[in-house]
Amino acid sequence: MKVNINNKETETAAKSVACLAEELQLPAKGVAVAIDNKLVARTDWSTTPVEEGDNIVIIKAFCGG
C-alpha cells in the first residue's frame, strides 16, 4: 500500500505503526510518530493500524546544536 512518510510517497506492507518502525529500522528510542497530525503513543504502536493514504510524520531526536 502507499502512504506518505514525511511528505514522500512510500510503498509499505506494514499493517501497524510497530511494523512500519521495524520496516524502516527506526531506533528504539528518540522517535515520535504521528498519523494524520495525531501523535501515536509508543505504547499504542502495535495496535495502531497503518492504512492506504495515511500521512505519517516521523521525527527523530538528535543531539547537537
Side-chain angles (χ1 to χ4, degrees):
M1 82 178 107
K2 291 182 182 177
V3 298
N4 291 307
I5 299 177
N6 296 347
N7 295 318
K8 182 180 176 186
E9 189 172 82
T10 305
E11 186 74 31
T12 182
K15 299 294 184 189
S16 69
V17 174
C19 292
L20 181 64
E22 185 177 320
E23 186 178 290
L24 297 175
Q25 299 178 337
L26 297 178
K29 294 185 179 184
V31 176
V33 176
I35 297 178
D36 296 326
N37 294 319
K38 184 177 178 188
L39 185 66
V40 179
R42 185 176 288 273
T43 55
D44 296 332
W45 282 14
S46 62
T47 58
T48 302
V50 172
E51 298 175 347
E52 180 85 27
D54 277 349
N55 289 304
I56 302 169
V57 176
I58 299 173
I59 301 169
K60 298 177 189 174
F62 63 94
C63 296

Short mmCIF file of all heavy atoms in Angstrom, two decimals:
data_model
loop_
_atom_site.label_atom_id
_atom_site.label_comp_id
_atom_site.label_asym_id
_atom_site.label_seq_id
_atom_site.Cartn_x
_atom_site.Cartn_y
_atom_site.Cartn_z
N MET A 1 0.84 -1.17 0.00
CA MET A 1 0.00 0.00 0.00
C MET A 1 0.88 1.24 0.00
O MET A 1 2.05 1.17 0.38
CB MET A 1 -0.93 -0.02 1.21
CG MET A 1 -0.30 0.49 2.50
SD MET A 1 -1.41 0.50 3.86
CE MET A 1 -0.76 -0.88 4.75
N LYS A 2 0.31 2.36 -0.43
CA LYS A 2 1.07 3.61 -0.47
C LYS A 2 0.64 4.53 0.66
O LYS A 2 -0.56 4.71 0.91
CB LYS A 2 0.86 4.30 -1.81
CG LYS A 2 1.48 3.56 -2.97
CD LYS A 2 1.29 4.29 -4.27
CE LYS A 2 1.92 3.46 -5.39
NZ LYS A 2 1.71 4.09 -6.70
N VAL A 3 1.64 5.07 1.36
CA VAL A 3 1.43 6.07 2.40
C VAL A 3 2.41 7.20 2.16
O VAL A 3 3.36 7.06 1.37
CB VAL A 3 1.64 5.47 3.82
CG1 VAL A 3 0.65 4.37 4.12
CG2 VAL A 3 3.06 4.95 3.99
N ASN A 4 2.18 8.32 2.78
CA ASN A 4 3.11 9.44 2.70
C ASN A 4 3.86 9.52 4.02
O ASN A 4 3.25 9.68 5.07
CB ASN A 4 2.36 10.76 2.45
CG ASN A 4 1.76 10.80 1.07
OD1 ASN A 4 2.47 10.59 0.09
ND2 ASN A 4 0.48 11.05 0.97
N ILE A 5 5.18 9.39 3.94
CA ILE A 5 6.03 9.50 5.14
C ILE A 5 6.89 10.74 4.97
O ILE A 5 7.68 10.83 4.03
CB ILE A 5 6.90 8.25 5.33
CG1 ILE A 5 6.01 7.01 5.51
CG2 ILE A 5 7.83 8.43 6.53
CD1 ILE A 5 6.76 5.71 5.64
N ASN A 6 6.70 11.69 5.87
CA ASN A 6 7.41 12.97 5.81
C ASN A 6 7.31 13.58 4.41
O ASN A 6 8.30 13.99 3.82
CB ASN A 6 8.86 12.82 6.26
CG ASN A 6 8.97 12.42 7.72
OD1 ASN A 6 8.00 12.49 8.48
ND2 ASN A 6 10.13 12.00 8.14
N ASN A 7 6.09 13.60 3.89
CA ASN A 7 5.76 14.20 2.58
C ASN A 7 6.37 13.46 1.39
O ASN A 7 6.51 14.03 0.31
CB ASN A 7 6.15 15.68 2.54
CG ASN A 7 5.33 16.49 3.50
OD1 ASN A 7 4.12 16.30 3.63
ND2 ASN A 7 5.98 17.41 4.20
N LYS A 8 6.73 12.21 1.57
CA LYS A 8 7.27 11.41 0.48
C LYS A 8 6.43 10.14 0.33
O LYS A 8 6.27 9.38 1.29
CB LYS A 8 8.73 11.04 0.75
CG LYS A 8 9.38 10.25 -0.36
CD LYS A 8 10.82 9.91 -0.03
CE LYS A 8 11.42 9.04 -1.12
NZ LYS A 8 12.76 8.58 -0.77
N GLU A 9 5.90 9.92 -0.88
CA GLU A 9 5.10 8.72 -1.10
C GLU A 9 5.99 7.49 -0.95
O GLU A 9 7.07 7.40 -1.54
CB GLU A 9 4.48 8.75 -2.49
CG GLU A 9 3.48 7.63 -2.69
CD GLU A 9 2.71 7.77 -3.99
OE1 GLU A 9 3.27 7.36 -5.02
OE2 GLU A 9 1.59 8.30 -3.95
N THR A 10 5.52 6.55 -0.13
CA THR A 10 6.31 5.36 0.20
C THR A 10 5.43 4.13 0.11
O THR A 10 4.28 4.14 0.55
CB THR A 10 6.86 5.48 1.65
OG1 THR A 10 7.60 6.70 1.77
CG2 THR A 10 7.76 4.32 1.99
N GLU A 11 5.97 3.07 -0.44
CA GLU A 11 5.28 1.78 -0.52
C GLU A 11 5.65 0.98 0.73
O GLU A 11 6.82 0.88 1.09
CB GLU A 11 5.72 1.04 -1.77
CG GLU A 11 4.98 -0.24 -2.04
CD GLU A 11 3.55 -0.03 -2.54
OE1 GLU A 11 3.28 0.98 -3.21
OE2 GLU A 11 2.71 -0.89 -2.23
N THR A 12 4.64 0.41 1.40
CA THR A 12 4.90 -0.38 2.60
C THR A 12 3.93 -1.55 2.69
O THR A 12 2.83 -1.49 2.16
CB THR A 12 4.77 0.48 3.88
OG1 THR A 12 5.07 -0.34 5.02
CG2 THR A 12 3.39 1.06 4.06
N ALA A 13 4.35 -2.59 3.38
CA ALA A 13 3.48 -3.73 3.65
C ALA A 13 3.08 -3.74 5.12
O ALA A 13 2.37 -4.63 5.57
CB ALA A 13 4.21 -5.02 3.30
N ALA A 14 3.53 -2.74 5.87
CA ALA A 14 3.28 -2.69 7.32
C ALA A 14 1.79 -2.53 7.61
O ALA A 14 1.11 -1.72 6.99
CB ALA A 14 4.07 -1.54 7.94
N LYS A 15 1.31 -3.30 8.56
CA LYS A 15 -0.09 -3.23 8.96
C LYS A 15 -0.28 -2.39 10.22
O LYS A 15 -1.41 -2.03 10.56
CB LYS A 15 -0.65 -4.63 9.20
CG LYS A 15 -0.60 -5.52 7.99
CD LYS A 15 -1.53 -5.01 6.90
CE LYS A 15 -1.54 -5.97 5.73
NZ LYS A 15 -2.24 -5.42 4.58
N SER A 16 0.82 -2.10 10.94
CA SER A 16 0.74 -1.31 12.17
C SER A 16 1.93 -0.37 12.22
O SER A 16 2.90 -0.52 11.48
CB SER A 16 0.73 -2.21 13.40
OG SER A 16 2.00 -2.82 13.57
N VAL A 17 1.86 0.59 13.13
CA VAL A 17 2.97 1.53 13.30
C VAL A 17 4.22 0.77 13.76
O VAL A 17 5.33 1.05 13.31
CB VAL A 17 2.61 2.65 14.30
CG1 VAL A 17 3.81 3.54 14.59
CG2 VAL A 17 1.46 3.49 13.75
N ALA A 18 4.05 -0.23 14.62
CA ALA A 18 5.19 -1.02 15.10
C ALA A 18 5.87 -1.74 13.93
O ALA A 18 7.10 -1.77 13.83
CB ALA A 18 4.76 -2.02 16.16
N CYS A 19 5.08 -2.31 13.03
CA CYS A 19 5.64 -2.99 11.86
C CYS A 19 6.34 -2.00 10.95
O CYS A 19 7.40 -2.30 10.39
CB CYS A 19 4.55 -3.72 11.09
SG CYS A 19 3.87 -5.13 11.96
N LEU A 20 5.77 -0.80 10.81
CA LEU A 20 6.39 0.23 9.98
C LEU A 20 7.73 0.65 10.58
O LEU A 20 8.73 0.80 9.86
CB LEU A 20 5.46 1.43 9.85
CG LEU A 20 5.99 2.58 8.98
CD1 LEU A 20 6.15 2.12 7.53
CD2 LEU A 20 5.06 3.78 9.07
N ALA A 21 7.77 0.83 11.90
CA ALA A 21 9.02 1.21 12.57
C ALA A 21 10.09 0.15 12.35
O ALA A 21 11.25 0.47 12.10
CB ALA A 21 8.77 1.41 14.06
N GLU A 22 9.69 -1.12 12.41
CA GLU A 22 10.65 -2.21 12.17
C GLU A 22 11.11 -2.21 10.72
O GLU A 22 12.29 -2.35 10.43
CB GLU A 22 10.00 -3.54 12.52
CG GLU A 22 10.94 -4.71 12.42
CD GLU A 22 10.29 -6.01 12.86
OE1 GLU A 22 9.53 -6.00 13.84
OE2 GLU A 22 10.54 -7.04 12.20
N GLU A 23 10.17 -2.02 9.81
CA GLU A 23 10.48 -2.00 8.37
C GLU A 23 11.46 -0.87 8.04
O GLU A 23 12.36 -1.03 7.22
CB GLU A 23 9.18 -1.82 7.59
CG GLU A 23 9.32 -1.91 6.10
CD GLU A 23 7.97 -1.76 5.42
OE1 GLU A 23 7.14 -2.69 5.54
OE2 GLU A 23 7.74 -0.72 4.78
N LEU A 24 11.28 0.28 8.69
CA LEU A 24 12.14 1.45 8.44
C LEU A 24 13.39 1.45 9.31
O LEU A 24 14.19 2.37 9.24
CB LEU A 24 11.35 2.74 8.67
CG LEU A 24 10.15 2.95 7.74
CD1 LEU A 24 9.40 4.21 8.16
CD2 LEU A 24 10.60 3.05 6.30
N GLN A 25 13.53 0.44 10.16
CA GLN A 25 14.66 0.29 11.06
C GLN A 25 14.84 1.54 11.93
O GLN A 25 15.95 2.06 12.08
CB GLN A 25 15.94 -0.03 10.29
CG GLN A 25 15.85 -1.32 9.52
CD GLN A 25 17.10 -1.64 8.72
OE1 GLN A 25 17.89 -0.76 8.38
NE2 GLN A 25 17.29 -2.91 8.41
N LEU A 26 13.74 1.99 12.51
CA LEU A 26 13.80 3.16 13.40
C LEU A 26 14.45 2.76 14.72
O LEU A 26 14.28 1.63 15.18
CB LEU A 26 12.39 3.70 13.66
CG LEU A 26 11.65 4.22 12.42
CD1 LEU A 26 10.26 4.69 12.82
CD2 LEU A 26 12.41 5.35 11.77
N PRO A 27 15.17 3.69 15.35
CA PRO A 27 15.80 3.38 16.63
C PRO A 27 14.75 3.13 17.71
O PRO A 27 13.60 3.59 17.61
CB PRO A 27 16.62 4.64 16.94
CG PRO A 27 16.10 5.69 16.05
CD PRO A 27 15.46 5.03 14.88
N ALA A 28 15.14 2.40 18.76
CA ALA A 28 14.22 2.04 19.83
C ALA A 28 13.80 3.25 20.67
O ALA A 28 12.74 3.22 21.29
CB ALA A 28 14.87 0.98 20.72
N LYS A 29 14.61 4.28 20.68
CA LYS A 29 14.29 5.47 21.48
C LYS A 29 14.51 6.73 20.65
O LYS A 29 15.23 6.71 19.66
CB LYS A 29 15.16 5.53 22.73
CG LYS A 29 14.89 4.42 23.70
CD LYS A 29 15.69 4.59 24.97
CE LYS A 29 15.36 3.45 25.93
NZ LYS A 29 16.04 3.61 27.21
N GLY A 30 13.87 7.81 21.08
CA GLY A 30 14.10 9.09 20.43
C GLY A 30 13.33 9.28 19.13
O GLY A 30 13.76 10.05 18.28
N VAL A 31 12.21 8.59 18.99
CA VAL A 31 11.41 8.68 17.76
C VAL A 31 9.95 8.95 18.12
O VAL A 31 9.41 8.34 19.05
CB VAL A 31 11.49 7.37 16.95
CG1 VAL A 31 10.59 7.43 15.74
CG2 VAL A 31 12.92 7.09 16.53
N ALA A 32 9.34 9.88 17.39
CA ALA A 32 7.91 10.14 17.55
C ALA A 32 7.23 9.93 16.20
O ALA A 32 7.80 10.22 15.16
CB ALA A 32 7.69 11.57 18.02
N VAL A 33 6.02 9.40 16.26
CA VAL A 33 5.26 9.13 15.03
C VAL A 33 3.87 9.75 15.16
O VAL A 33 3.21 9.60 16.19
CB VAL A 33 5.12 7.61 14.78
CG1 VAL A 33 4.26 7.33 13.56
CG2 VAL A 33 6.49 6.95 14.63
N ALA A 34 3.46 10.44 14.10
CA ALA A 34 2.11 10.98 14.04
C ALA A 34 1.46 10.51 12.74
O ALA A 34 2.12 10.43 11.71
CB ALA A 34 2.14 12.50 14.09
N ILE A 35 0.19 10.20 12.82
CA ILE A 35 -0.59 9.83 11.63
C ILE A 35 -1.71 10.84 11.48
O ILE A 35 -2.49 11.04 12.42
CB ILE A 35 -1.16 8.40 11.74
CG1 ILE A 35 -0.03 7.38 11.83
CG2 ILE A 35 -2.06 8.09 10.54
CD1 ILE A 35 -0.50 5.95 11.98
N ASP A 36 -1.76 11.48 10.32
CA ASP A 36 -2.77 12.50 10.05
C ASP A 36 -2.82 13.54 11.17
O ASP A 36 -3.89 13.86 11.69
CB ASP A 36 -4.14 11.85 9.80
CG ASP A 36 -4.12 10.97 8.56
OD1 ASP A 36 -3.40 11.32 7.59
OD2 ASP A 36 -4.82 9.95 8.55
N ASN A 37 -1.65 14.02 11.57
CA ASN A 37 -1.47 15.07 12.58
C ASN A 37 -1.88 14.66 13.99
O ASN A 37 -2.12 15.51 14.84
CB ASN A 37 -2.18 16.36 12.18
CG ASN A 37 -1.57 16.98 10.96
OD1 ASN A 37 -0.35 17.01 10.80
ND2 ASN A 37 -2.41 17.47 10.07
N LYS A 38 -1.97 13.36 14.26
CA LYS A 38 -2.28 12.89 15.61
C LYS A 38 -1.13 12.02 16.10
O LYS A 38 -0.82 10.99 15.49
CB LYS A 38 -3.59 12.08 15.60
CG LYS A 38 -3.99 11.65 16.99
CD LYS A 38 -5.31 10.91 16.97
CE LYS A 38 -5.64 10.46 18.39
NZ LYS A 38 -6.81 9.59 18.41
N LEU A 39 -0.51 12.46 17.20
CA LEU A 39 0.62 11.72 17.76
C LEU A 39 0.17 10.33 18.21
O LEU A 39 -0.89 10.19 18.83
CB LEU A 39 1.20 12.49 18.95
CG LEU A 39 2.46 11.92 19.58
CD1 LEU A 39 3.62 11.99 18.60
CD2 LEU A 39 2.80 12.66 20.84
N VAL A 40 0.98 9.33 17.90
CA VAL A 40 0.70 7.96 18.31
C VAL A 40 1.67 7.61 19.43
O VAL A 40 2.89 7.59 19.22
CB VAL A 40 0.87 6.97 17.13
CG1 VAL A 40 0.58 5.54 17.60
CG2 VAL A 40 -0.03 7.36 15.98
N ALA A 41 1.15 7.33 20.61
CA ALA A 41 2.00 6.95 21.75
C ALA A 41 2.72 5.65 21.44
O ALA A 41 2.14 4.74 20.82
CB ALA A 41 1.15 6.80 23.00
N ARG A 42 3.95 5.56 21.86
CA ARG A 42 4.74 4.34 21.60
C ARG A 42 4.02 3.09 22.11
O ARG A 42 4.08 2.03 21.48
CB ARG A 42 6.13 4.45 22.23
CG ARG A 42 7.02 3.26 21.87
CD ARG A 42 8.42 3.42 22.42
NE ARG A 42 9.17 4.42 21.71
CZ ARG A 42 9.88 4.21 20.60
NH1 ARG A 42 9.91 3.01 20.06
NH2 ARG A 42 10.54 5.17 20.02
N THR A 43 3.32 3.22 23.23
CA THR A 43 2.59 2.07 23.79
C THR A 43 1.46 1.61 22.88
O THR A 43 0.97 0.49 23.03
CB THR A 43 2.03 2.40 25.18
OG1 THR A 43 1.23 3.58 25.09
CG2 THR A 43 3.16 2.62 26.19
N ASP A 44 1.05 2.46 21.94
CA ASP A 44 -0.04 2.13 21.02
C ASP A 44 0.45 1.73 19.62
O ASP A 44 -0.37 1.44 18.74
CB ASP A 44 -1.00 3.31 20.88
CG ASP A 44 -1.70 3.64 22.17
OD1 ASP A 44 -1.89 2.71 23.00
OD2 ASP A 44 -2.06 4.80 22.38
N TRP A 45 1.75 1.72 19.40
CA TRP A 45 2.29 1.42 18.07
C TRP A 45 1.82 0.07 17.55
O TRP A 45 1.49 -0.06 16.39
CB TRP A 45 3.81 1.48 18.07
CG TRP A 45 4.39 2.85 18.05
CD1 TRP A 45 3.75 4.03 18.30
CD2 TRP A 45 5.74 3.20 17.76
NE1 TRP A 45 4.61 5.08 18.19
CE2 TRP A 45 5.84 4.61 17.87
CE3 TRP A 45 6.87 2.48 17.44
CZ2 TRP A 45 7.03 5.29 17.64
CZ3 TRP A 45 8.06 3.15 17.23
CH2 TRP A 45 8.14 4.55 17.32
N SER A 46 1.78 -0.94 18.41
CA SER A 46 1.44 -2.29 17.93
C SER A 46 -0.04 -2.43 17.60
O SER A 46 -0.42 -3.33 16.85
CB SER A 46 1.86 -3.34 18.95
OG SER A 46 1.16 -3.14 20.17
N THR A 47 -0.88 -1.54 18.14
CA THR A 47 -2.32 -1.65 17.90
C THR A 47 -2.86 -0.56 16.97
O THR A 47 -4.05 -0.56 16.66
CB THR A 47 -3.10 -1.60 19.23
OG1 THR A 47 -2.79 -0.37 19.91
CG2 THR A 47 -2.74 -2.78 20.11
N THR A 48 -1.99 0.35 16.53
CA THR A 48 -2.43 1.42 15.63
C THR A 48 -2.18 1.00 14.19
O THR A 48 -1.05 0.79 13.78
CB THR A 48 -1.67 2.72 15.94
OG1 THR A 48 -1.91 3.08 17.31
CG2 THR A 48 -2.15 3.85 15.03
N PRO A 49 -3.26 0.88 13.41
CA PRO A 49 -3.10 0.42 12.03
C PRO A 49 -2.51 1.50 11.11
O PRO A 49 -2.69 2.69 11.34
CB PRO A 49 -4.53 0.08 11.60
CG PRO A 49 -5.39 0.93 12.46
CD PRO A 49 -4.66 1.10 13.76
N VAL A 50 -1.81 1.04 10.10
CA VAL A 50 -1.35 1.90 9.01
C VAL A 50 -2.25 1.59 7.83
O VAL A 50 -2.42 0.42 7.47
CB VAL A 50 0.13 1.61 8.67
CG1 VAL A 50 0.55 2.36 7.42
CG2 VAL A 50 1.03 1.97 9.84
N GLU A 51 -2.85 2.63 7.25
CA GLU A 51 -3.82 2.42 6.18
C GLU A 51 -3.41 3.18 4.92
O GLU A 51 -2.71 4.19 4.99
CB GLU A 51 -5.20 2.86 6.65
CG GLU A 51 -5.69 2.05 7.84
CD GLU A 51 -7.00 2.55 8.40
OE1 GLU A 51 -7.44 3.66 8.03
OE2 GLU A 51 -7.58 1.83 9.22
N GLU A 52 -3.87 2.69 3.80
CA GLU A 52 -3.60 3.31 2.49
C GLU A 52 -3.88 4.81 2.55
O GLU A 52 -4.90 5.25 3.06
CB GLU A 52 -4.52 2.67 1.43
CG GLU A 52 -4.33 3.22 0.05
CD GLU A 52 -3.20 2.56 -0.72
OE1 GLU A 52 -2.88 1.39 -0.45
OE2 GLU A 52 -2.64 3.22 -1.60
N GLY A 53 -2.91 5.60 2.08
CA GLY A 53 -3.08 7.05 2.00
C GLY A 53 -2.79 7.82 3.27
O GLY A 53 -2.91 9.04 3.29
N ASP A 54 -2.42 7.13 4.36
CA ASP A 54 -2.10 7.83 5.61
C ASP A 54 -0.97 8.82 5.39
O ASP A 54 -0.03 8.56 4.64
CB ASP A 54 -1.68 6.85 6.71
CG ASP A 54 -2.86 6.22 7.44
OD1 ASP A 54 -4.00 6.68 7.25
OD2 ASP A 54 -2.61 5.27 8.21
N ASN A 55 -1.06 9.96 6.07
CA ASN A 55 0.02 10.93 6.12
C ASN A 55 0.75 10.74 7.44
O ASN A 55 0.20 11.02 8.50
CB ASN A 55 -0.52 12.36 6.00
CG ASN A 55 -1.02 12.65 4.62
OD1 ASN A 55 -0.29 12.50 3.65
ND2 ASN A 55 -2.28 13.03 4.50
N ILE A 56 1.97 10.23 7.35
CA ILE A 56 2.74 9.87 8.54
C ILE A 56 3.93 10.80 8.65
O ILE A 56 4.64 11.05 7.68
CB ILE A 56 3.21 8.40 8.44
CG1 ILE A 56 1.99 7.48 8.29
CG2 ILE A 56 4.07 8.01 9.62
CD1 ILE A 56 2.32 6.05 7.91
N VAL A 57 4.14 11.30 9.87
CA VAL A 57 5.30 12.13 10.15
C VAL A 57 6.15 11.39 11.18
O VAL A 57 5.64 10.96 12.22
CB VAL A 57 4.90 13.53 10.69
CG1 VAL A 57 6.14 14.33 11.07
CG2 VAL A 57 4.08 14.27 9.66
N ILE A 58 7.42 11.22 10.86
CA ILE A 58 8.36 10.57 11.78
C ILE A 58 9.42 11.60 12.16
O ILE A 58 10.07 12.18 11.28
CB ILE A 58 9.03 9.34 11.13
CG1 ILE A 58 7.94 8.31 10.76
CG2 ILE A 58 10.06 8.72 12.06
CD1 ILE A 58 8.46 7.14 9.96
N ILE A 59 9.57 11.81 13.46
CA ILE A 59 10.54 12.77 13.97
C ILE A 59 11.55 12.02 14.80
O ILE A 59 11.18 11.27 15.71
CB ILE A 59 9.85 13.85 14.82
CG1 ILE A 59 8.82 14.60 13.98
CG2 ILE A 59 10.88 14.82 15.41
CD1 ILE A 59 7.91 15.50 14.77
N LYS A 60 12.82 12.22 14.48
CA LYS A 60 13.91 11.59 15.23
C LYS A 60 14.65 12.65 16.02
O LYS A 60 15.06 13.67 15.46
CB LYS A 60 14.89 10.89 14.28
CG LYS A 60 14.27 9.77 13.47
CD LYS A 60 15.28 9.19 12.51
CE LYS A 60 14.62 8.22 11.54
NZ LYS A 60 15.54 7.76 10.53
N ALA A 61 14.82 12.41 17.31
CA ALA A 61 15.58 13.31 18.16
C ALA A 61 17.06 13.11 17.91
O ALA A 61 17.51 12.01 17.59
CB ALA A 61 15.26 13.05 19.63
N PHE A 62 17.83 14.19 18.01
CA PHE A 62 19.27 14.06 17.86
C PHE A 62 19.95 15.10 18.74
O PHE A 62 19.35 16.12 19.09
CB PHE A 62 19.73 14.20 16.41
CG PHE A 62 19.45 15.54 15.79
CD1 PHE A 62 20.40 16.54 15.79
CD2 PHE A 62 18.22 15.81 15.20
CE1 PHE A 62 20.13 17.78 15.23
CE2 PHE A 62 17.94 17.03 14.63
CZ PHE A 62 18.91 18.03 14.64
N CYS A 63 21.18 14.84 19.09
CA CYS A 63 21.96 15.75 19.93
C CYS A 63 22.73 16.72 19.05
O CYS A 63 23.04 16.43 17.90
CB CYS A 63 22.95 14.96 20.79
SG CYS A 63 22.13 13.87 21.96
N GLY A 64 23.04 17.84 19.61
CA GLY A 64 23.84 18.80 18.86
C GLY A 64 23.21 20.17 18.93
O GLY A 64 22.16 20.38 19.49
N GLY A 65 23.85 21.11 18.28
CA GLY A 65 23.31 22.46 18.37
C GLY A 65 23.48 23.24 17.15
O GLY A 65 23.54 22.96 16.05
#
